[in-house]
Amino acid sequence: MASATAAGSSGPAAPQAPKSRRSVTGTRKAVAALFLLPALVLLGALVVYPIGYSLIRSFYDQSGDSFAGFDNYRALFTDDGIRTALKNNVIWVVFAPTVATALGLIFAVLTERVRWGTAFKLVVFMPMAISMLAAGIIFRLVYDQDPDKGVANAVWVGVHDTFAESSAFPKAHPGRESPLEPAGGGAFITKEPVSAGQTVVLPLVGVAPDLMPDGAEKAAAARPEDGKITGTTWQDFTRGKGVGQLNGVDAAELGYAGMKIEAVKDGEVVASTKASGDGTFSLPAAADGALLRLPADNFAEPYNGLSWLGPSLVTPAIIGSYVWMWAGFAMVLIAAGLAGVPRELLEAARVDGANEWQVFRRVTVPLLAPVLAVVVVTLMINVLKVFDLVFIIAPGSSQDDANVLALELYRKGFASDQPGIASAIAVFLLLLVIPVMWFNVRRLRREVRR
Amino acid sequence: MTAEAGSLTKAAPAPSGGTAARARRSLGARLAERVSGGLVQVFLIVVGLFWLVPTIGLLLSSLRTPQDMAAGGWWQVLTEPSRLTFQSYEELLKNGDITSSLLNTALITVPATVLVVVIGALAGYAFAWMDFPGRDWWFLAVVGLLVVPVQVALIPIAELFGKIGLFGSIVGVILFHVGFGLPFAVFLLRNFFAEIPRELLEAARLDGAGELRLFLRVVMPLGGPAIASLGIFQFLWVWNDMLVALIFSDSGSQPITVALQTQVRQFGNNIDILAPGAFISMVVPLAVFFAFQRQFVSGVMAGAVK
C-alpha cells in the first residue's frame, strides 16, 4: 500500500524554503488521511464534540428539554455550594502555584550549593510519580486530629507544649473531707490560712495512674521547718475503709510532681513554688497567713492540636498536600533554567560586593523570570482542575467547606443530577484556560511556519 | 507551556573563574561562606525530612496491625520494629475486589498507553512530513486542545457511552484516556519528528521505502527518546487517574484508585486496607520513576500542562 505512493515522487523539491518539511515521498492525500484518521476521529468524538455539547447543554434546564438561557450560569454566582467552590478556587489559584513556585525556586538555588543536591531533588520530586489518591491517603494520615496518630498534630502539639507548658493533672479534684475547696475557674484553694513552721497537706484525687507525670515518685510527708511553710500535694488514693488514710500520705501513693502552688493574701500572689517529685514543697515566710491555691492551669485539658480538616483549615491543609506534590515540578524546571544562567554574571555581582541575597534578588530572579512565569501559569491551569486531593482528603463533614469547581461539577453532574449546571461549570473552566490555549497556538504558529 | 527540561541528575556548570575571585576574598568572607553553607545543609535536611515523612508514615502504617494503629501513631514502630508485620498485605491480597481492581488498572493502562503512542505517532509523522492542504492549521487546532480540561467531557461522554453501551466498560475508560492523551502525543511527537534530518528520510526514500516503511523503520526508531517520554507520561497519567475511572467504570471494571476511594468514606476503620492498598498502587509508578528518571522528568515536564 505504501509503495504505491512512490509513483508521484519528484525528489527533494521545495527550493523556495530550504528548511521546508515538504514530503520526501510526494505522499498522496489519501495516505496522509489514513495516517491522520484515527487521531482526528478520536479527538473529534472525545474532545471536540464534548466541548460543543457542553456549550449547548449549559443553556438548557436540568432535564434538557427546555431552553433556560443563562439560568445555569447565573447559578454559578447564586448557588451557595458553587460560590464556596468559586471562592476556594480563587484561594487555590492564588496560593498553591505561588507557594509551590517560591519553594521550587528556593530549593533549586540552594541545591546547587550542596553535594547531595541530586538526592534532595529526588526526594522532593518523587511525589510527582504517585497518584493524587495515594497522596490524599498519605495526608489523611498526616492530618489525623489525634496527636497520637497524625504526625502534623504530633509535631504541632510538641512545639506548642515546649513553649506553653501543658498541664499534668486535667481531672484532679478534691476528695472527701478535703482541706481544699474550689476557688472558681478550675483552681482549688485551702479553706484555712497557713502559718510558718506548719506542714500542709494538699491531697487530691482523680488522676488515672497511667496519666501521672513521669517524674512522680512515692509521696513523702513534709517535715516542718522554721520560718517556712512546707507541705505535700499528692494523689490521696483512698479506696474504701482500711486501705490508706484519708488526707494522710500512704506508702503506695504518688506525689504530684510539678504541681504549681501559690500563696494568696487578699487576692494577691505573695509566693509560689512547684512540688518536687515526691509531692513536697516549701514556701518562704512571706506566705505566712496566706491561703494556698492550686491555680487552674494545673488542671487545664491538654492541648489537642489543630483541627486540620475542620471547616476553617481544610483548604489550606489540602493546598499543603498539593504543594508537597508539585514543588518538585517547579524545582526541576527552575533548576533547568538556572543551569542556563551564565555563571559569570553571578560571579561578577559577587566581586562587585553584592551579598548572596542581593545576587539572588537582583540577578538570579530577574534572569529566571520567564521560567518562573511558565511554572506559575502551568500550575495555575493544573490547580483550576484540582479534584482528587479535595475529594479524598476532605472528610464528609467539611467537604462543603473545601469544595472546588471540579468537585462541584462532579457532584452536580453525577450525584445530584443537574447536568445543566454541571455543563455551565465545565464551560466556565474551559473559558478560564482559553487564554493559555490562545497563547500556545500563537507561539507555535511562528515555529510551524518557519 | 512545554519545556525540554534537564533531568534531575544534570549538574549545574561549575562556577567559572572561581579561583581568581576567591583568592581576592578575605578570610572573614570565607568563614561566613562556610557558616552559611552549613545552614543551607541543615535547612535542606529539614525540608527533605518534611518531604519524606508523609510517605514513610504511609509505609510504616501499612506494616502495622489495625490494633496497633488504633493504639497510637506509626512512629511507635521506630522504637519497636519487631511489631512490623506483612499481615495487612496478606489480607489485602486475599481480597478479591482489590486484586481484580489491580488487574483492571493494568488492563486499562497498557492499552491506553500503547494506543496513544501509536495513533499519536502516525498523526505526528503526517503533520511533520506529509503534504496535505491545511496541514499547519490542523496541527494548531490539535495544539489548541492541549489544555482542554477533562471535566468538559465528563457529562457528554457519559451520555454518549451510555447510548452505545460503553459505559462501565474497560474499553470506555481506555477510549477516554486515549482521546485526552492524543493532543499532547501529537504535539510532542510532531515536534520531535520534524527535527529528523531530511537527508535521512531521503536516503531511505531512495532505497525504495514507502510511507509506511519509512514510518516504521526510520521515524519510529529515531523518535525513541520522545516516544519513551510520552509513553512514561501517559502510563503514569492513566495509572494514577481516579476521576475518569470513577465516572466511566463500574464495580467490575474499576481500577485500584476507584476501589480504594470507596474505602476512604470510612477512613479510620479500614486503614489496614487503605495504607497497604495505596502503597501497592504506588509501587509501579515509583519503580518507573527510579528506573527511567530522565524520561520521566522530561515527560512530566512537557506534559504537565494537561
Side-chain angles (χ1 to χ4, degrees):
Chain A
M1 181 186 80
S3 60
T5 62
S9 169
S10 57
Q16 75 278 21
K19 280 191 89 181
S20 156
R21 287 175 294 94
R22 291 274 306 278
S23 166
V24 287
T25 50
T27 318
R28 288 194 320 215
K29 281 167 199 155
V31 177
L34 277 177
F35 271 73
L36 286 168
L37 198 64
L40 294 184
V41 166
L42 285 169
L43 282 171
L46 295 162
V47 187
V48 178
Y49 156 75
I51 294 175
Y53 182 101
S54 290
L55 199 57
I56 294 168
R57 189 69 186 77
S58 68
F59 289 104
Y60 281 82
D61 70 354
Q62 307 317 321
S63 64
D65 295 331
S66 55
F67 188 75
F70 281 93
D71 282 0
N72 292 322
Y73 290 93
R74 218 164 284 140
L76 286 184
F77 302 97
T78 51
D79 180 299
D80 280 345
I82 306 180
R83 273 171 56 180
T84 315
L86 259 178
K87 189 197 78 188
N88 283 334
N89 257 82
V90 170
I91 295 175
W92 270 89
V93 168
V94 169
F95 289 103
T98 45
V99 172
T101 307
L103 285 178
L105 176 63
I106 293 169
F107 297 165
V109 170
L110 292 186
T111 45
E112 287 205 328
R113 296 157 159 249
V114 292
R115 277 197 211 103
W116 41 275
T118 303
F120 178 86
K121 284 185 189 166
L122 268 179
V123 166
V124 175
F125 196 72
M126 186 206 66
M128 287 290 302
I130 67 173
S131 63
M132 294 245 182
L133 168 98
I137 293 173
I138 285 175
F139 276 86
R140 269 301 271 271
L141 279 168
V142 167
Y143 289 136
D144 198 304
Q145 165 76 65
D146 184 349
D148 286 333
K149 291 182 186 165
V151 72
N153 261 349
V155 172
W156 184 257
V157 169
V159 171
H160 178 275
D161 288 354
T162 311
F163 294 104
E165 236 171 293
S166 70
S167 76
F169 319 102
K171 294 207 163 59
H173 57 91
R176 283 177 295 145
E177 298 165 36
S178 173
L180 289 158
E181 61 184 3
F188 300 109
I189 196 159
T190 53
K191 292 171 184 165
E192 310 288 337
V194 295
S195 51
Q198 184 195 3
T199 64
V200 193
V201 290
L202 302 173
L204 293 172
V205 295
V207 181
D210 56 326
L211 293 179
M212 286 294 280
D214 294 337
E217 298 162 22
K218 277 185 182 163
R223 281 195 202 109
E225 277 182 58
D226 275 346
K228 283 188 175 177
I229 296 147
T230 55
T232 312
T233 178
W234 81 105
Q235 170 104 323
D236 192 24
F237 187 67
T238 339
R239 194 182 343 176
K241 280 186 179 146
V243 187
Q245 174 196 354
L246 198 59
N247 296 337
V249 179
D250 298 316
E253 294 169 351
L254 291 173
Y256 283 144
M259 177 78 79
K260 281 177 230 156
I261 299 135
E262 293 171 348
V264 187
K265 262 186 202 166
D266 305 327
E268 286 198 22
V269 177
V270 292
S272 67
T273 186
K274 262 187 195 178
S276 57
D278 58 5
T280 58
F281 60 90
S282 83
L283 286 160
D288 188 51
L291 294 171
L292 295 193
R293 182 168 70 184
L294 304 175
D297 55 2
N298 284 317
F299 313 108
E301 287 294 328
Y303 181 66
N304 224 358
L306 294 170
S307 166
W308 297 102
L309 301 181
S312 51
L313 280 182
V314 65
T315 294
I318 302 174
I319 290 178
S321 67
Y322 178 89
V323 168
W324 179 79
M325 287 193 86
W326 285 84
F329 166 80
M331 174 189 69
V332 172
L333 263 191
I334 294 168
L338 204 57
V341 168
R343 301 288 126 172
E344 294 78 16
L345 279 176
L346 305 184
E347 207 55 38
R350 289 195 186 106
V351 170
D352 286 347
N355 62 33
E356 287 306 309
W357 169 249
Q358 287 168 325
V359 172
F360 175 75
R361 181 68 195 78
R362 308 263 173 212
V363 186
T364 312
V365 171
L367 283 173
L368 286 177
V371 180
L372 296 178
V374 166
V375 172
V376 169
V377 172
T378 308
L379 289 180
M380 278 179 170
I381 299 174
N382 190 279
V383 156
L384 274 182
K385 300 175 283 185
V386 65
F387 171 82
D388 308 35
L389 282 178
V390 181
F391 189 69
I392 297 297
I393 297 180
S397 54
S398 56
Q399 209 168 71
D400 284 340
D401 302 289
N403 208 351
V404 286
L405 285 176
L407 178 61
E408 186 61 20
L409 184 152
Y410 171 78
R411 288 165 143 202
K412 284 275 192 284
F414 297 93
S416 66
D417 202 26
Q418 293 179 289
I421 293 182
S423 297
I425 298 177
V427 172
F428 183 67
L429 282 177
L430 184 65
L431 285 178
L432 291 177
V433 297
I434 275 185
V436 181
M437 189 189 275
W438 180 78
F439 175 83
N440 273 350
V441 168
R442 224 178 60 123
R443 200 189 48 164
L444 254 151
R445 203 170 58 191
R446 266 179 265 136
E447 282 175 38
V448 164
R449 290 246 175 114
R450 288 183 300 191
Chain B
M1 233 27 51
T2 58
E4 196 60 45
S7 85
L8 292 167
T9 47
K10 187 196 277 174
S16 56
T19 42
R22 209 165 294 143
R24 257 178 265 139
R25 276 193 237 152
S26 69
L27 184 70
R30 290 214 301 271
L31 196 67
E33 206 168 81
R34 273 285 169 83
V35 172
S36 76
L39 287 178
V40 166
Q41 302 233 8
V42 171
F43 174 76
L44 289 181
I45 288 171
V46 171
V47 170
L49 281 177
F50 243 85
W51 249 258
L52 271 180
V53 162
T55 316
I56 292 173
L58 178 77
L59 174 62
L60 294 183
S61 297
S62 73
L63 293 169
R64 302 178 77 205
T65 61
Q67 293 76 24
D68 280 4
M69 276 305 285
W74 52 263
W75 50 89
Q76 287 179 344
V77 301
L78 299 177
T79 49
E80 282 181 288
S82 61
R83 295 192 70 85
L84 292 176
T85 163
F86 281 102
Q87 187 189 320
S88 296
Y89 285 91
E90 280 161 23
E91 293 291 322
L92 191 78
L93 293 177
K94 283 184 217 147
N95 182 333
D97 277 356
I98 298 290
T99 47
S100 68
S101 65
L102 273 171
L103 181 66
N104 286 338
T105 294
L107 289 178
I108 291 169
T109 308
V110 174
T113 306
V114 172
L115 283 173
V116 158
V117 169
V118 171
I119 297 174
L122 284 170
Y125 174 60
F127 282 127
W129 289 104
M130 287 183 179
D131 277 332
F132 56 91
R135 177 182 76 178
D136 293 345
W137 290 109
W138 280 102
F139 177 60
L140 289 175
V142 174
V143 172
L145 299 179
L146 256 177
V147 288
V148 173
V150 291
Q151 277 82 0
V152 173
L154 296 180
I155 290 170
I157 298 297
E159 290 202 9
L160 179 71
F161 281 1
K163 275 184 206 144
I164 57 177
L166 283 177
F167 198 84
S169 71
I170 283 185
V171 175
V173 180
I174 293 172
L175 273 181
F176 192 95
H177 280 304
V178 173
F180 273 83
L182 275 176
F184 173 57
V186 173
F187 167 74
L188 187 78
L189 295 181
R190 180 263 174 210
N191 285 352
F192 196 87
F193 292 160
E195 300 296 320
I196 294 175
R198 189 181 180 82
E199 295 72 34
L200 276 177
L201 297 173
E202 276 166 1
R205 174 68 204 90
L206 289 176
D207 290 345
E211 288 291 6
L212 192 61
R213 228 179 123 79
L214 210 59
F215 173 73
L216 290 175
R217 294 289 164 81
V218 183
V219 174
M220 285 298 265
L222 285 174
I227 288 170
S229 292
L230 168 69
I232 285 171
F233 177 81
Q234 177 72 9
F235 182 89
L236 289 174
W237 179 263
V238 178
W239 185 281
N240 285 336
D241 162 76
M242 179 184 81
L243 175 59
V244 174
L246 186 63
I247 287 165
F248 297 108
S249 67
D250 62 15
S251 56
S253 57
Q254 65 184 14
I256 183 76
T257 47
V258 177
L260 288 177
Q261 74 78 27
T262 58
Q263 300 282 338
V264 174
R265 298 284 143 255
Q266 308 118 41
F267 194 90
N269 308 320
N270 49 9
I271 194 68
D272 53 321
I273 296 176
L274 280 176
F279 210 82
I280 287 178
S281 81
M282 284 163 59
V283 165
V284 170
L286 286 179
V288 169
F289 171 57
F290 285 112
F292 304 101
Q293 249 182 70
R294 184 173 287 273
Q295 293 87 342
F296 176 87
V297 171
S298 58
V300 169
M301 291 298 143
V305 75
K306 271 180 81 169

